Amino acid sequence: MARSQFSLSQKGFGFYAACLAAVLCLATGIYYNVQYTGDQYYAANIFYTFAAALPAALVMALVKLGNFVPAALCAFSGIGFLEFIYAMYWDISVVMVGIDKTSFDTRFIVCCVMMVVSFVVAEISLYTKMRKAKK
């Protein structure tokens, strides 16, 4: 049986989008961990969820499940974002009602933007081709 070799020339846009999404998930997890460690709104499961996206993608690619990587990245980034919203529920409600705070912190906004961008890039990788068509 012939063994297929890894070649970047055969990879489609979806492959590069999946790589970017995996790196963005890791960066988001690190940023969240740095900004919220020791805070009342810190939840370790958020960091673990985002940090696990890149290693999971690598393992799936190594065991020839590369076509499922975009779906896994969508799941990791989506679940991580939902966990973040759950952890920040009280802070969000306080700002929305205007009790003690009238605006969100910069770190909250940056985290939300990073989480949404990582999810959107993962979604893009889900709907684009991982390999170029053979001619």
Side-chain angles (χ1 to χ4, degrees), residues 62-76:
L62 288 174
V63 297
K64 306 290 185 194
L65 293 174
N67 291 333
F68 295 105
V69 168
L73 291 172
C74 285
F76 278 110

Side-chain angles (χ1 to χ4, degrees), residues 29-73:
I30 291 170
Y31 182 80
Y32 171 79
N33 195 45
V34 168
Q35 292 297 317
Y36 283 96
T37 297
D39 194 308
Q40 66 182 355
Y41 300 115
Y42 179 75
N45 58 327
I46 298 168
F47 169 70
Y48 297 140
T49 302
F50 278 103
L54 180 63
L58 288 174
V59 168
M60 290 177 78
L62 288 174
V63 297
K64 306 290 185 194
L65 293 174
N67 291 333
F68 295 105
V69 168
L73 291 172

Side-chain angles (χ1 to χ4, degrees), residues 17 20-21 24-25 27-29 31 46 50 73-74 76-82 84-85 107-125:
L20 179 61
L24 282 171
C25 283
T28 301
Y31 182 80
I46 298 168
F50 278 103
L73 291 172
C74 285
F76 278 110
S77 58
I79 291 169
F81 189 52
L82 291 175
F84 179 72
I85 297 300
R107 66 185 181 159
F108 175 83
I109 294 169
V110 171
C111 267
C112 284
V113 168
M114 289 179 76
M115 290 177 188
V116 168
V117 168
S118 65
F119 181 74
V120 168
V121 173
E123 282 288 326
I124 290 170
S125 73

